[in-house]
């Protein structure tokens, strides 16, 4: 029987694999995807990281692009591939775990479409983004409208001719709005917060991440007074000039999306009937219901302390704000993984 199974081979799973190796533990990493870096490769084609090379290192092996450069999604996937090869990480793809059950004897049975895996411990590294959420009114829209969640948006080629609507004012919403509205022949309606804070990637000749590190923004823990204060502040949009995008002649701000019926889409103050394409950048809902006996918090994330859950032998890595703002970033997850490994390996 295996000692550890890590579920998920993104940055959190790979960092955990590295630290288990440091403790000479035997483990297997399983992933529902068909290739390394699948979660990144599934994102839109023009995606560039908002963190430059030097802030993207997993433990032990440097990200192999120049300092100050913002890598694209393919470079992240290639880096992960080199990482797996370099550390000879045992990895099994096409293995989507659909249930985890603990036996009376204390070991876990993990079920996937081809069978079962048994292990003494599991580390869940399935990422912060699970089920794409789209507001219920999307089902009332005419089939003449091309609509997709940002999770499935790859490029402008997926859109048909005509007006577009982008819903959602987070990083994804603004980046997709930016990309679509660069095509001046498309009128792009935007439904989302417009008073979001946007921060430039560079400030006084230094990357914003250098400043974040100096101020300690990424390392205040969620249990500290200042960490609690920071976590209540909405995350700013980084590296996208929100004001410039919203000022473009072909961008029309329409306030909240209220309802829809056929070709009619109802916003706070108006109805628009010409929209042919919609990208819903409306976020995700977590899904951990496949782990029997796991206690969840009010937001449906696992109750945990630095990754240790209510079930002995089940731990988590890479959850948003698991310990600090850095917990769910490429360069930040290793600290949490090192700490978790020191607890579960001893
Ligand atoms: C658009 C976007 C841009 C981002 N840009 C940056 C950036 O510039 N810099 C930065 O540091 N961070 C960035 N992030 C944040 C973060 O780094 C990523 O979200 C990252 O992908 C999280 O890594 P992870 O390993 O925790 O999870 P994921 O990358 O989501 O990996 C989880 C893995 O688990 C697998 N999996 C899931 N469920 C199961 C299951 N039940 N069984 C088996 N396998 C399963 C998936 O196939 C996947 O491979 C960005 C996030 C987004 C959405």
């Amino acid at each position: 029987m295996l000692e550890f199974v890590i579920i998920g081979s993104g940055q959190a799973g790979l960092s955990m694999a590295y630290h288990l190796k440091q403790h000479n533990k035997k483990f297997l990493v399983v992933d529902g995807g068909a290739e390394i870096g699948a979660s990144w490769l599934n994102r839109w084609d023009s995606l560039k990281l908002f963190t430059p090379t030097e802030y993207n290192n997993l433990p032990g092996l440097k990200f192999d692009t120049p300092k100050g450069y913002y890598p694209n999604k393919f470079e992240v996937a290639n880096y992960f591939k080199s990482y797996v090869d370099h550390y000879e990480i045992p990895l099994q793809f096409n293995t989507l775990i659909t249930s985890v059950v603990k036996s009376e004897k204390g070991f876990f049975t993990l079920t996937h479409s081809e069978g079962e895996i048994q292990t003494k411990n599991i580390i869940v590294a399935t990422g912060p983004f699970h089920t794409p959420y789209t507001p219920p009114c999307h089902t009332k829209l005419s089939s003449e409208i091309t609509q997709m969640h940002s999770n499935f948006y790859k490029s402008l080629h997926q859109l048909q001719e005509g007006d577009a609507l982008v819903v959602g004012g987070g990083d994804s919403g603004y980046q997709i709005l930016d990309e679509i509205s660069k095509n001046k022949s498309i009128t792009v309606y935007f439904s989302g917060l417009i008073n979001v804070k946007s921060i430039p990637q560079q400030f006084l000749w230094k990357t914003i991440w250098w400043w974040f590190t100096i101020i300690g923004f990424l390392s205040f823990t969620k249990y500290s007074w200042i960490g609690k204060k920071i976590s209540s502040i909405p995350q700013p949009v980084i590296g996208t000039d929100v004001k410039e995008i919203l000022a473009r002649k072909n961008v029309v701000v329409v306030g909240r999306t209220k309802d829809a019926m056929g070709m009619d889409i109802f916003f706070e103050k108006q109805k628009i009937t010409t929209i042919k394409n919609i990208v819903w950048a409306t976020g995700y809902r977590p899904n951990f219901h496949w782990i029997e006996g796991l206690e969840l918090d009010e937001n449906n994330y696992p109750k945990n302390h630095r990754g240790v859950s209510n079930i002995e032998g089940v731990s988590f890595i890479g959850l948003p704000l698991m310990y600090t703002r850095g917990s769910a970033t490429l360069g930040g997850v290793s600290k949490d993984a090192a700490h978790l490994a020191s607890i579960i390996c001893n």
Side-chain angles (χ1 to χ4, degrees), residues 135 165-169 173 189-192 257 267 278-282:
L165 165 68
V166 176
V167 186
Y189 295 93
F190 175 66
S191 173
T257 305
F267 300 101
I278 306 177
V279 181
W280 300 98
T282 38

Side-chain angles (χ1 to χ4, degrees), residues 190-210:
F190 175 66
S191 173
L193 285 178
I194 54 168
N195 56 351
V196 290
K197 290 254 174 308
S198 76
I199 310 184
Q201 268 165 335
Q202 299 278 125
F203 181 68
L204 290 178
W205 306 282
K206 293 274 185 199
T207 156
I208 199 70
W209 297 92
W210 184 87

Side-chain angles (χ1 to χ4, degrees), residues 7-14 30-33 35 37-40 43-44 47-52 55-56 80 95-98 125-130 171-172 175 209 284 290 317-319 327-333:
I7 307 176
S9 68
Q11 70 213 24
L14 297 184
V30 297
D31 199 294
E35 60 186 324
S39 60
W40 287 96
R43 292 171 183 158
W44 61 92
L47 182 138
K48 291 244 173 211
L49 293 191
F50 50 70
T51 45
Y55 291 90
N56 299 327
F80 285 2
T95 309
L96 182 75
I97 305 301
T98 51
T126 53
F129 306 113
H130 299 143
D171 271 301
S172 309
Q175 284 187 26
W209 297 92
Y284 295 80
W290 43 281
I317 189 74
L319 297 174
S327 290
T329 62
L330 280 153
V333 67

Side-chain angles (χ1 to χ4, degrees), residues 116-127:
E116 291 181 347
I117 299 171
Q118 292 188 329
T119 176
K120 290 181 186 155
N121 300 281
I122 65 163
I123 301 161
V124 183
T126 53

Side-chain angles (χ1 to χ4, degrees), residues 29-214:
V29 183
V30 297
D31 199 294
E35 60 186 324
I36 191 75
S39 60
W40 287 96
L41 293 172
N42 282 339
R43 292 171 183 158
W44 61 92
D45 292 343
S46 64
L47 182 138
K48 291 244 173 211
L49 293 191
F50 50 70
T51 45
T53 300
E54 60 274 27
Y55 291 90
N56 299 327
N57 296 321
L58 299 185
L61 186 71
K62 288 205 162 158
F63 203 104
D64 46 5
T65 52
K67 189 173 175 220
Y69 169 82
Y70 293 87
N72 62 40
K73 66 175 192 175
F74 304 103
E75 287 162 326
V76 179
N78 286 342
Y79 171 55
F80 285 2
K81 185 166 186 324
S82 322
Y83 198 85
V84 168
D85 292 346
H86 185 82
Y87 287 109
E88 298 178 342
I89 294 173
L91 227 167
Q92 185 175 308
F93 291 112
N94 300 309
T95 309
L96 182 75
I97 305 301
T98 51
S99 87
V100 169
V101 177
K102 190 171 186 178
S103 75
E104 280 177 7
K105 288 187 178 146
F107 61 83
F108 295 92
T109 301
L110 282 53
T111 309
H112 57 96
S113 63
E114 304 295 317
E116 291 181 347
I117 299 171
Q118 292 188 329
T119 176
K120 290 181 186 155
N121 300 281
I122 65 163
I123 301 161
V124 183
T126 53
F129 306 113
H130 299 143
T131 314
Y133 170 77
T134 311
C137 68
H138 84 278
T139 56
K140 296 193 264 173
L141 284 162
S142 160
S143 58
E144 283 177 39
I145 297 178
T146 301
Q147 50 167 327
M148 68 201 78
H149 188 274
S150 57
N151 192 56
F152 305 105
Y153 174 81
K154 297 281 179 287
S155 74
L156 271 181
H157 301 296
Q158 289 163 292
L159 307 188
Q160 57 175 317
E161 212 170 285
D163 297 352
L165 165 68
V166 176
V167 186
D171 271 301
S172 309
Y174 272 108
Q175 284 187 26
I176 293 169
L177 174 67
D178 181 27
E179 173 161 295
I180 299 178
S181 62
K182 275 186 181 141
N183 182 329
K184 296 203 172 63
S185 66
I186 307 176
T187 298
V188 194
Y189 295 93
F190 175 66
S191 173
L193 285 178
I194 54 168
N195 56 351
V196 290
K197 290 254 174 308
S198 76
I199 310 184
Q201 268 165 335
Q202 299 278 125
F203 181 68
L204 290 178
W205 306 282
K206 293 274 185 199
T207 156
I208 199 70
W209 297 92
W210 184 87
W211 291 104
F212 282 167
T213 312
I214 292 290

